[in-house]
Amino acid sequence: MDSNGVVFKDVVSGKAYPIEDRVRSDEGGLLEVSYDFDALRECVSKELFDKRLGSRTFPYGSGVWRFRELIHPLAEDKHIVSRPEGNTNLYAHQKLKTYVGASAAAKHEGENPTGSFKDRGMTVAITEAVRLGKRSVACASTGNTSASVAAYAAQAGLSSVVFIPDGEIAYGKLSQALAYGARALQIQGNFDDAMRLVEDASKQLGLYLLNSVNPWRIEGQKSIFFDLLQQRRWKAPDWVVVPAGNLGNISALGKAIYEMDELGLLDKIPRVAGVQAEGSNPFYRMIKGSEQALSAEEHPKTVATAIKIGNPVSWQKAKAVVEYTGGAVESVSDQEIMDAKAVVDSCGIGCEPASAASVAGAKKLVDAGVISESDEVVCVLTGNLLKDPDATVNYHLKKLSGLSPKYSNAPVKITPNVKEVRHYLA
Ligand SMILES: *Cc1c(COP(=O)(O)O)cnc(C)c1O
């Protein structure tokens, strides 16, 4: 059908399309990239990926493109736009283990070039934009996608338009989008309104859509798991826990696990848990209520703006992932999110609010006996501490409304003399 047996498939109907300029099926359904595993088994191996590890040869220094056969086999070196990204650290800190109550480690995706895991998908989707000869790209964003789009588009020499909910985006993220030169359109409404608008506008104005409905984003984000597995010397953990907003990342994780297993590169199937914020948890409610379809949350609310999404695009894929891996869903309050964040921060690791949902959720699943104390758990920290300084400072100053911080570390005002310093250090 197309080169190397790689095609797009509608995730519900299974209808196949050649790899071409489209992000949805004819019926408007979600697409995914589908591989010929027999052909792939002949050309990929742990040895191949290990040989590339640490390479200075383009593009293998990237923790995404090192796995290129499983990411975008049709992209040639001349198309690839890479910072490079990935190769993020895995932190095992005693304080984190104690807090979660199991053998927990944090995979810090905030160490990507623009400070979130979005870069892993964006390097691939922007590469595809270049391959297709696009001039303009667009996204709706709670912040991190726009930062990533703006940076990668600038590097590729493409113009970018970002649709952001007015007044609901963290400052670190907005500043990035503006600084990297995206045209920022502030939408009166929330993320879901921005998402609807950008899909219509892209179709009518010929902009290449870079939200996670774009199947190439998902391909790139699979590399969080590939990277993690390689880091752990190809031994899967028992659980991988991720914050869940638009549900693209959990979908990517499940696809990565499935493909590694198909290729015989996986020792066991890790269970995947998706964690939502209490005020913004339609996916959690669907799974818990054994409902067959998602009912959108009209007024999503949470301090974790990156997962403040009421009508997640990829719920069908995400549901399949929870079922396939024997995984779980959890829901956590803003209090739980911010306290977990304070713990992660105080380890010297640090993350933005949404990221800490994974840690808060892992703790809750251990407390509920779903994750066992002897399990190895990897919590994905999706974004950098510096993305949302307001949330951090306001937590420590006890200025987040409705919250009583357990781990507040507020600054103290003193007059400039040693006596006072001694007094406060005593
Ligand atoms: C985008 C994002 C998420 C949510 O990921 P989805 O794929 O939308 O579920 C979580 N945390 C951070 C920091 C993000 O930027």
Side-chain angles (χ1 to χ4, degrees):
M1 204 161 193
D2 207 305
S3 6
N4 309 345
V6 183
V7 294
F8 282 141
K9 272 198 184 141
D10 184 302
V11 300
V12 176
S13 73
K15 184 173 165 189
Y17 299 85
I19 300 297
E20 58 188 10
D21 182 6
R22 63 161 69 236
V23 294
R24 285 191 183 268
S25 71
D26 287 343
E27 290 74 33
L30 288 181
L31 294 174
E32 66 180 11
V33 178
S34 163
Y35 296 85
D36 175 347
F37 289 110
D38 289 332
L40 269 183
R41 267 180 223 110
E42 300 292 311
C43 67
V44 301
S45 64
K46 295 175 188 174
E47 291 71 30
L48 173 71
F49 299 137
D50 282 345
K51 210 172 76 195
R52 290 175 180 167
L53 190 64
S55 168
R56 294 202 160 265
T57 308
F58 183 89
Y60 300 118
S62 161
V64 176
W65 293 101
R66 179 159 76 248
F67 307 99
R68 71 190 295 176
E69 290 82 0
L70 311 176
I71 299 284
H72 196 329
L74 308 182
E76 297 165 38
D77 285 0
K78 66 175 188 219
H79 303 127
I80 294 177
V81 184
S82 172
R83 296 288 301 264
E85 45 290 308
N87 299 320
T88 56
N89 286 296
L90 186 61
Y91 297 99
H93 196 292
Q94 188 52 48
K95 213 167 177 178
L96 188 66
K97 289 183 188 166
T98 306
Y99 190 71
V100 169
S103 176
K107 174 92 173 135
H108 204 341
E109 290 300 304
E111 295 175 345
N112 275 292
T114 76
S116 84
F117 76 83
K118 299 297 198 296
D119 294 340
R120 290 187 184 260
M122 212 52 72
T123 177
V124 184
I126 288 277
T127 292
E128 179 64 1
V130 170
R131 210 177 72 91
L132 293 171
K134 299 285 178 185
R135 298 302 312 149
S136 307
V137 297
C139 73
S141 178
T142 61
N144 282 331
T145 301
S146 64
S148 190
V149 163
Y152 279 84
Q155 192 180 337
L158 308 178
S159 71
S160 61
V161 193
V162 303
F163 293 61
I164 50 185
D166 192 11
E168 295 194 26
I169 159 172
Y171 243 54
K173 307 176 187 184
L174 179 61
S175 65
Q176 285 179 293
L178 302 179
Y180 294 134
R183 172 159 304 178
L185 303 179
Q186 293 186 292
I187 309 303
Q188 289 168 4
N190 59 23
F191 171 82
D192 302 296
D193 300 314
M195 188 68 222
R196 266 191 297 274
L197 182 60
V198 77
E199 282 225 36
D200 289 346
S202 301
K203 235 180 279 158
Q204 291 177 34
L205 306 176
L207 309 167
Y208 189 57
L209 182 62
L210 292 179
N211 279 97
S212 56
V213 292
N214 185 313
W216 297 109
R217 284 270 312 275
I218 304 298
E219 291 311 289
Q221 287 170 208
K222 290 186 319 195
S223 67
I224 299 178
F225 184 69
F226 300 160
D227 213 4
L228 168 68
L229 201 59
Q230 188 172 31
Q231 225 160 8
R232 291 176 45 94
R233 307 317 307 142
W234 304 101
K235 282 213 217 38
D238 297 300
W239 286 88
V240 184
V241 186
V242 289
N246 217 10
L247 305 175
N249 210 27
I250 189 172
S251 303
L253 181 56
K255 191 168 191 282
I257 292 169
Y258 174 79
E259 291 175 1
M260 282 277 123
D261 190 45
E262 279 291 309
L263 294 169
L265 302 178
L266 199 55
D267 55 331
K268 68 172 171 213
I269 309 280
R271 302 168 75 181
V272 171
V275 185
Q276 295 210 289
E278 219 165 72
S280 182
N281 64 359
F283 182 63
Y284 169 83
R285 282 190 273 124
M286 176 184 78
I287 300 286
K288 284 290 174 186
S290 304
E291 281 150 30
Q292 285 312 303
L294 183 122
S295 322
E297 165 63 57
E298 290 298 324
H299 303 287
K301 273 196 275 311
T302 170
V303 67
T305 49
I307 51 173
K308 187 174 168 181
I309 294 172
N311 192 15
V313 167
S314 297
W315 64 267
Q316 287 152 319
K317 289 184 184 178
K319 181 167 176 280
V321 171
V322 172
E323 288 163 0
Y324 158 62
T325 67
V329 288
E330 191 48 275
S331 176
V332 291
S333 66
D334 281 1
Q335 175 84 49
E336 289 168 315
I337 288 173
M338 291 308 290
D339 285 336
K341 171 177 146 55
V343 171
V344 172
D345 293 353
S346 73
C347 292
I349 300 171
C351 66
E352 68 164 281
S355 311
S358 63
V359 173
K363 175 182 172 54
K364 222 166 166 173
L365 288 166
V366 172
D367 290 346
V370 177
I371 296 180
S372 120
E373 286 169 24
S374 57
D375 280 347
E376 290 193 318
V377 182
V378 173
C379 298
V380 178
L381 300 179
T382 44
N384 194 285
L385 170 76
L386 295 174
K387 288 284 191 174
D388 192 349
D390 294 310
T392 305
V393 172
N394 287 332
Y395 174 87
H396 289 291
L397 296 180
K398 304 191 174 168
K399 282 187 182 167
L400 287 178
S401 73
L403 261 66
S404 35
K406 270 206 195 116
Y407 309 103
S408 164
N409 179 28
V412 179
K413 282 189 184 148
I414 62 165
T415 53
N417 69 65
V418 174
K419 218 174 119 205
E420 276 214 38
V421 176
R422 180 179 292 126
H423 172 77
Y424 277 105
L425 295 186

